[in-house]
Amino acid sequence: MELKQFTGICRESINLINLNPLQRGGLLSEEARRVAPDWIDGYSVCDFCGGCLDRIKKPPIEEFVHKALPEFLDCDVVRLTNGAREAKFAIMHSVCREGDTILMDGNAHYSSYVAAERARLKIELIENSGHPEFKINEDDYAKRIDEVKPKLVLLTYPDGNYGNLPDARRVGKICAEHDVPFLLNCAYAIGRMPISAKKTGADFIVGSGHKSMASSGPIGVLGMKKEWEDIVLRKSEKYKGKEVEVLGCGPRGFSTITLMASFPSVVERVKNWDKEVENSQYFIKSIEAIGGIKQLGVRPTEHDLNFLEAEIFYEISQKHKKKGFFLYHELKKRGIVGIKPGLTKNFKLSTYQLNKEELKKVIDSFQEISRMN
Amino acid sequence: MELKQFTGICRESINLINLNPLQRGGLLSEEARRVAPDWIDGYSVCDFCGGCLDRIKKPPIEEFVHKALPEFLDCDVVRLTNGAREAKFAIMHSVCREGDTILMDGNAHYSSYVAAERARLKIELIENSGHPEFKINEDDYAKRIDEVKPKLVLLTYPDGNYGNLPDARRVGKICAEHDVPFLLNCAYAIGRMPISAKKTGADFIVGSGHKSMASSGPIGVLGMKKEWEDIVLRKSEKYKGKEVEVLGCGPRGFSTITLMASFPSVVERVKNWDKEVENSQYFIKSIEAIGGIKQLGVRPTEHDLNFLEAEIFYEISQKHKKKGFFLYHELKKRGIVGIKPGLTKNFKLSTYQLNKEELKKVIDSFQEISRMN
């Protein structure tokens, strides 16, 4: 086997505009990029470890995990995990037992579903309203909790397809009234927009470092109310310092450093969320003006992640020699990537942190391409 | 809170000789370091993903996971995980059910134990022989399997305290005779020394990218016999492409790129294992000649990771104003780190990949410090 194929690989997208929603919030901050050379080796953060990742003082992971992050998420206790999905599984696996039922929104990310399957739970869904809004009716939670008697309730905020932001506080209130723990999946929220676990009444809140906190993957955050600490963060019977659900320690290396180094800039950027939503609404308005493109999900959009129905691109693809791949190629010619090759009619994208010039370039490109019809 | 504390953090050990066994095998290769700037953002490897990490063709993760790694480990099937511990849990959680028994060696890493606790297994241990060899008697497995009827057997090869290399093939044979699946934990072997899953008869083999494969953490490898694929890598019922035990996808980002970019150099370095053992034996011989220092574990050492009993440093610490911390400070003055601050009498270290000059420096330093007595 030719082993050289694994070395010297450049990333094609590195200097292009990447519209993939799961890439836009994970671009490293300048601060994280600057410290990278020191910390990219193996188990780098463990030089001065006494046996517990979140108690390392040098670098200041303890201060970060036990003070900065709980303040940022507005919750009592935080741990680092290998991602939002790993955090969700840790919660499901410790709060529920095999055969228990979890109730989640029909817009839940596949990883919520797979985490529940891994925990061997019965999965009940609350269907969305279907085309064009795909909205979750918060009040359905009350009825469905009575019906299926879940041990845990999950809400996706926002979902990763339509960027819909259901009323999390309303669901939190329903869960509290029914005395069911409430898990809020904020993989596309924490690090992009202001979030308070306490205000939504969430027992658990999870976020993704690589998706939305300017971090190198894989890394996530798991926040919770203090009352769950003894259950979710229970210690090993033999190794008293080791928490069982994170297998002793979570992300052991560079990803933790990037989450921490990017954190001050993430705290800042969250304050500009209104501006991001404004940009997103401006973008949608501009491309809908082309004709034949429509934003699905709740309108007007309240998030940078949006789902488009683009009849016009579908029509072009029917006549184009590259078929469904024409859109990918046309965008790439213009320095834009992130829409899945092959898609034309339905696709999602994000305008998060695009500057004015980049936003204009994307809009102009959509306009130009639409004229191929 | 002062957020600036989280930025601009330098790694003190970066230009020093680091003797910490968990750091020596994780130093990035030049190749991995070279491609870092392109790949350290968020979910970098997912640009051209069709929904499954190990099927990504660009970068060539599919070729790496499905061809290069199975060949390297000499096993049928490989997946990437967030670390060796995450791989062990995935195996335990899918092969066993709550309440089942796992039988492991008494030298097992804490993470093997914690993974079994997380899977809610009963844990039975095979005690080592105690001071000074701490040896696992392979034949004990036969007797203990009959006694405790485990659903899974684990052996640590080598263990992370003494660097003892038990006869894995012998244990594999016993497991086969008793028809119990056999998991070999090679976190300190894969990437350092030649390993063949098939030759040892292991059903499962796990390795650590950040510990021994020149990779940025967190990342690990999970190898298995084909017959276990349907159990350990079972797919989601709803999301047909997603494997449940890796929650859909394993390490989503830079760590995967480093494992791949370093791989050709790792394949090469494994060929020099005899030289590494020679260096390790030379090192032990040299520092034992000082007097008052003795290598514990099986002798002569067969691994770069060694456990020392250093009466002479303990004696010095009793009189020194820095007490137990004197050794750490004396070594650091000489540009050497990696022995836990506070330890003098018993500690472990590794000489892996130290060049002649560095090896000499460490030996000379031990000699100089011993003269403080």
Side-chain angles (χ1 to χ4, degrees):
Chain A
M1 171 171 301
E2 184 49 79
L3 296 182
K4 261 196 181 164
Q5 66 178 308
F6 301 127
T7 64
I9 300 165
C10 297
R11 189 174 172 205
E12 217 179 318
S13 71
I14 196 74
N15 293 312
L16 310 179
I17 297 175
N18 195 334
L19 299 178
N20 191 336
L22 63 75
Q23 302 284 7
R24 292 228 53 79
L27 295 172
L28 287 202
S29 65
E30 270 314 303
E31 291 78 3
R33 214 163 254 283
R34 200 176 308 130
V35 298
D38 270 24
W39 298 97
I40 53 179
D41 291 308
Y43 253 122
S44 61
V45 298
C46 308
D47 279 343
F48 300 101
C49 180
C52 184
L53 177 73
D54 60 89
R55 291 297 176 190
I56 293 173
K57 288 186 172 63
K58 212 169 134 186
I61 298 174
E62 183 174 47
E63 185 85 359
F64 178 58
V65 172
H66 291 274
K67 286 197 180 160
L69 283 175
E71 204 174 289
F72 184 61
L73 303 178
D74 195 20
C75 67
D76 301 325
V77 181
V78 173
R79 285 297 182 278
L80 304 181
T81 65
N82 292 320
R85 64 189 72 191
E86 285 82 357
K88 288 180 283 189
F89 175 71
I91 296 161
M92 294 174 191
H93 187 251
S94 49
V95 171
C96 306
R97 284 294 171 280
E98 191 172 333
D100 283 351
T101 296
I102 183 170
L103 176 63
M104 54 177 88
D105 59 295
N107 289 342
H109 191 251
Y110 83 80
S111 65
S112 298
Y113 197 96
V114 173
E117 281 184 285
R118 192 187 194 194
R120 302 186 178 110
L121 306 183
K122 285 181 206 140
I123 303 166
E124 294 284 346
L125 300 177
I126 289 177
E127 297 303 329
N128 62 43
S129 62
H131 191 281
E133 274 194 308
F134 302 97
K135 197 176 166 350
I136 296 297
N137 178 2
E138 296 84 0
D139 288 327
D140 285 353
Y141 273 92
K143 192 180 60 180
R144 296 282 280 140
I145 288 174
D146 286 336
E147 279 168 20
V148 307
K149 311 242 177 291
K151 283 278 164 38
L152 183 66
V153 160
L154 181 147
L155 179 67
T156 316
Y157 185 86
D159 72 274
N161 271 329
Y162 311 103
N164 285 350
L165 285 161
D167 185 346
R169 202 188 288 221
R170 174 91 194 104
V171 177
K173 200 162 167 276
I174 293 169
C175 290
E177 283 163 7
H178 288 75
D179 203 22
V180 188
F182 176 36
L183 160 54
L184 198 60
N185 177 12
C186 296
Y188 278 110
I190 293 172
R192 294 181 185 240
M193 56 189 284
I195 287 289
S196 158
K198 287 201 176 133
K199 280 185 193 159
T200 61
D203 292 86
F204 304 103
I205 188 167
V206 305
S208 168
H210 40 269
K211 254 185 186 162
S212 302
M213 299 178 80
S215 305
S216 194
I219 192 163
V221 294
L222 159 52
M224 71 192 86
K225 285 184 181 166
K226 194 157 178 45
E227 62 193 87
W228 291 105
E229 197 176 10
D230 289 346
I231 291 170
V232 178
L233 303 178
R234 69 194 178 284
K235 300 270 180 33
S236 163
E237 282 180 22
K238 182 167 177 180
Y239 299 94
K240 303 294 181 189
K242 304 293 184 184
E243 288 165 357
V244 172
E245 282 297 335
V246 291
L247 294 172
C249 287
R252 310 166 291 286
F254 180 57
S255 52
T256 292
I257 286 289
T258 59
L259 188 77
M260 193 161 70
S262 287
F263 183 68
S265 66
V266 164
V267 169
E268 279 310 303
R269 78 188 194 183
V270 163
K271 294 176 188 162
N272 295 320
W273 178 242
D274 287 349
K275 185 71 198 154
E276 289 291 345
V277 175
E278 210 175 278
N279 281 349
S280 178
Q281 291 178 348
Y282 167 76
F283 173 76
I284 295 297
K285 203 176 138 192
S286 305
I287 60 162
E288 286 191 339
I290 293 171
I293 303 179
K294 194 174 149 52
Q295 177 231 322
L296 301 187
V298 175
R299 294 170 61 91
T301 180
E302 297 175 290
H303 199 272
D304 60 89
L305 182 160
N306 285 292
F307 191 94
L308 302 182
E309 189 174 64
E311 285 291 347
I312 189 161
F313 294 147
Y314 177 68
E315 282 170 28
I316 298 170
S317 76
Q318 297 298 80
K319 295 170 280 183
H320 199 282
K321 65 175 194 290
K322 291 203 163 131
K323 297 287 174 197
F325 291 87
F326 98 94
L327 182 60
Y328 174 77
H329 286 286
E330 288 298 325
L331 285 169
K332 193 153 170 220
K333 267 199 245 170
R334 294 165 173 86
I336 299 165
V337 291
I339 291 170
K340 274 199 181 165
L343 299 185
T344 57
K345 195 175 185 179
N346 291 295
F347 52 88
K348 54 186 185 173
L349 49 66
S350 160
T351 52
Y352 191 60
Q353 299 235 303
L354 291 183
N355 61 34
K356 266 197 180 150
E357 201 182 322
E358 291 168 324
L359 211 54
K360 184 175 181 315
K361 189 173 176 182
V362 179
I363 294 167
D364 290 351
S365 299
F366 270 59
Q367 283 171 340
E368 280 174 35
I369 297 168
S370 72
R371 281 188 218 116
M372 295 171 67
N373 201 16
Chain B
M1 170 171 300
E2 184 48 81
L3 296 182
K4 262 198 180 162
Q5 66 178 307
F6 301 126
T7 63
I9 300 166
C10 297
R11 188 173 173 206
E12 217 180 319
S13 70
I14 197 75
N15 293 312
L16 310 178
I17 297 174
N18 195 333
L19 300 178
N20 191 335
L22 63 75
Q23 301 283 8
R24 293 226 55 78
L27 296 172
L28 287 204
S29 64
E30 269 315 303
E31 290 79 3
R33 215 165 255 283
R34 200 176 308 130
V35 298
D38 269 23
W39 297 98
I40 53 179
D41 290 308
Y43 254 121
S44 60
V45 299
C46 309
D47 279 343
F48 300 101
C49 180
C52 184
L53 177 73
D54 60 271
R55 291 297 176 190
I56 294 174
K57 288 186 171 64
K58 210 169 135 185
I61 298 175
E62 182 173 49
E63 184 86 0
F64 179 57
V65 172
H66 292 272
K67 286 199 180 159
L69 284 175
E71 203 174 289
F72 184 60
L73 303 178
D74 195 19
C75 67
D76 300 325
V77 181
V78 173
R79 285 297 181 279
L80 304 182
T81 67
N82 291 320
R85 65 188 71 188
E86 286 81 359
K88 287 180 284 189
F89 176 70
I91 297 162
M92 293 175 192
H93 186 252
S94 49
V95 171
C96 306
R97 283 295 170 280
E98 190 172 334
D100 283 350
T101 297
I102 183 169
L103 176 63
M104 54 177 89
D105 59 296
N107 289 342
H109 191 251
Y110 82 80
S111 65
S112 298
Y113 197 95
V114 172
E117 281 183 285
R118 193 186 194 196
R120 304 189 175 107
L121 306 182
K122 285 182 205 139
I123 303 165
E124 295 284 345
L125 299 177
I126 288 176
E127 297 303 328
N128 63 42
S129 62
H131 191 281
E133 273 193 309
F134 302 96
K135 197 175 167 351
I136 297 297
N137 179 2
E138 295 85 0
D139 289 327
D140 286 354
Y141 273 92
K143 194 179 61 182
R144 297 282 281 138
I145 288 173
D146 287 336
E147 278 170 20
V148 306
K149 312 241 177 291
K151 283 277 163 38
L152 184 65
V153 159
L154 181 147
L155 178 68
T156 317
Y157 184 85
D159 73 273
N161 271 328
Y162 310 105
N164 285 350
L165 286 162
D167 185 346
R169 201 187 287 223
R170 174 92 194 104
V171 176
K173 200 162 167 277
I174 292 169
C175 289
E177 284 164 7
H178 288 75
D179 203 22
V180 188
F182 175 37
L183 160 56
L184 199 61
N185 178 12
C186 296
Y188 279 111
I190 294 172
R192 295 181 185 239
M193 56 191 284
I195 287 288
S196 159
K198 287 201 175 131
K199 280 185 191 157
T200 62
D203 292 85
F204 304 103
I205 188 167
V206 305
S208 167
H210 39 269
K211 254 184 184 162
S212 302
M213 298 178 82
S215 305
S216 194
I219 192 162
V221 293
L222 159 53
M224 72 193 84
K225 285 183 182 167
K226 191 151 181 50
E227 63 192 83
W228 291 105
E229 197 175 11
D230 289 346
I231 291 170
V232 177
L233 303 178
R234 69 194 178 283
K235 300 271 182 31
S236 163
E237 282 180 23
K238 182 167 176 179
Y239 299 95
K240 303 294 182 190
K242 305 293 185 183
E243 288 165 357
V244 172
E245 282 297 333
V246 292
L247 293 171
C249 287
R252 309 166 292 284
F254 180 57
S255 52
T256 293
I257 286 289
T258 59
L259 188 77
M260 193 162 68
S262 287
F263 183 68
S265 66
V266 164
V267 169
E268 279 310 303
R269 79 188 194 183
V270 162
K271 294 176 188 161
N272 295 320
W273 177 242
D274 287 351
K275 184 70 198 156
E276 289 292 344
V277 175
E278 210 177 279
N279 281 350
S280 178
Q281 291 178 346
Y282 166 76
F283 172 76
I284 295 297
K285 202 176 139 192
S286 304
I287 60 162
E288 286 191 336
I290 293 170
I293 303 179
K294 194 172 148 52
Q295 177 233 323
L296 300 186
V298 174
R299 294 169 63 89
T301 180
E302 295 175 290
H303 200 272
D304 61 88
L305 183 161
N306 285 291
F307 191 93
L308 302 181
E309 186 173 65
E311 285 291 346
I312 189 162
F313 293 147
Y314 177 69
E315 282 170 25
I316 297 169
S317 76
Q318 298 298 84
K319 294 171 282 184
H320 199 283
K321 66 175 192 294
K322 289 200 165 131
K323 297 289 174 196
F325 291 87
F326 97 94
L327 182 60
Y328 174 78
H329 287 285
E330 289 297 325
L331 284 169
K332 192 150 169 222
K333 265 198 248 172
R334 293 167 174 84
I336 299 165
V337 291
I339 292 170
K340 275 202 178 161
L343 299 184
T344 57
K345 197 174 183 178
N346 291 296
F347 52 87
K348 56 185 183 172
L349 49 67
S350 160
T351 52
Y352 190 61
Q353 299 235 301
L354 292 181
N355 61 33
K356 266 195 179 152
E357 203 182 320
E358 291 168 324
L359 209 56
K360 184 174 181 316
K361 190 174 175 180
V362 179
I363 294 167
D364 289 351
S365 299
F366 270 59
Q367 282 172 340
E368 279 173 37
I369 296 169
S370 72
R371 282 187 217 115
M372 294 170 67
N373 199 16

